Amino acid sequence: TGDHPAVILWPDIASIREAKRNIARKLAQAGYAVLVVNPYYRDVAGEQFADFAAFISAGGFQKVGPWRGKLNAEAIMRDATAITGWLDTQSAVDTARGIGTQGYCMGGPFTVWSAAAVPSRIKAAASFHGGGLVRPDNPMSPHKVLGKVDASLLIAVARDDDAKAPADKTTFADAAKAAEVAAKVEVYAGDHGWMVSDSPAYNAEAAARGEADLKALYASARA
């Protein structure tokens, strides 16, 4: 009951499942109206994998490949615009407050694209172990669209991802500074997937820190 700031939750590659709904439930208990997005809605409806183990055993990477291939910046920005418009018609959403968005793995860059698509409404965006935040040869790389963003950012980098591309965090931070976008870009003490309870890399201590940083981001951004 009541009006609450809205949050758009972009899942990882295995999409909607109980682990993602549980993240949303915890955030809802903290006073947010949370929408868990099915990024593959163009091809399938609802849950496709019960958990990440089921995703692996079912050949998930191969199965979702054609669906995921449609999710470029332009598609996600169209989706974010439509989602924001829908959220603003919901009785549980406080439209006087900014919208927050958070994403995991492939959903990480989706949050930046979302913020760029609807800068008047999306005021906070968090990427947890996001992939593809820096794409040097792509003009729609998340770090290249920050000039369209009017939101505070939390870019939480996995330590193993950082080991593979150590310059990316600096490139993103420099781009945010140039665009005058407030961005906390930090490497966490967890490997890729550390925030997600059904991930082999789940790290409860690092996840608790990520949750606390997320709530602080939303509070400071009035999302």
Side-chain angles (χ1 to χ4, degrees):
T1 59
D3 297 335
H4 307 278
V7 170
I8 302 167
L9 192 159
W10 293 103
D12 56 25
I13 195 168
S15 195
I16 296 175
R17 57 194 191 280
E18 195 66 3
K20 295 301 177 186
R21 288 190 287 267
N22 283 336
I23 292 173
R25 289 177 184 127
K26 289 179 70 174
L27 199 56
Q29 289 169 358
Y32 293 88
V34 189
L35 175 68
V36 183
V37 181
N38 168 18
Y40 303 135
Y41 75 87
R42 295 168 179 83
D43 295 281
V44 293
E47 180 179 293
Q48 301 298 308
F49 310 97
D51 52 30
F52 202 77
F55 173 82
I56 295 298
S57 65
F61 287 104
Q62 292 75 28
K63 184 174 182 179
V64 308
W67 313 339
R68 186 183 182 188
K70 300 173 184 178
L71 306 183
N72 58 19
E74 291 80 6
I76 296 303
M77 292 173 80
R78 287 194 300 271
D79 288 350
T81 301
I83 289 166
T84 299
W86 181 83
L87 283 171
D88 280 346
T89 68
Q90 304 306 302
S91 60
V93 171
D94 182 355
T95 56
R97 299 283 298 274
I99 294 174
T101 181
Q102 61 202 75
Y104 304 81
C105 305
M106 82 167 188
F110 295 2
T111 67
V112 180
W113 289 331
S114 297
V118 201
S120 63
R121 291 295 290 120
I122 297 180
K123 298 300 180 181
S127 166
F128 292 103
H129 36 84
L133 289 165
V134 175
R135 311 177 191 201
D137 299 326
N138 187 337
M140 293 301 291
S141 172
H143 82 289
K144 294 183 180 181
V145 301
L146 293 175
K148 300 178 181 179
V149 169
D150 185 19
S152 298
L153 307 182
L154 169 63
I155 307 299
V157 183
R159 60 189 174 191
D160 54 344
D161 290 338
D162 181 61
K164 296 173 186 175
D168 282 3
K169 61 182 181 296
T170 304
T171 299
F172 193 97
D174 288 347
K177 184 176 180 180
E180 299 183 344
V181 170
K184 178 181 179 182
V185 183
E186 191 165 336
V187 179
Y188 281 62
D191 290 330
H192 189 90
W194 89 81
M195 286 290 293
V196 185
S197 62
D198 65 358
S199 165
Y202 176 65
N203 182 314
E205 184 176 349
R209 183 188 164 206
E211 290 172 7
D213 289 347
L214 175 71
K215 289 177 182 177
L217 171 76
Y218 285 169
S220 66
R222 289 188 57 78

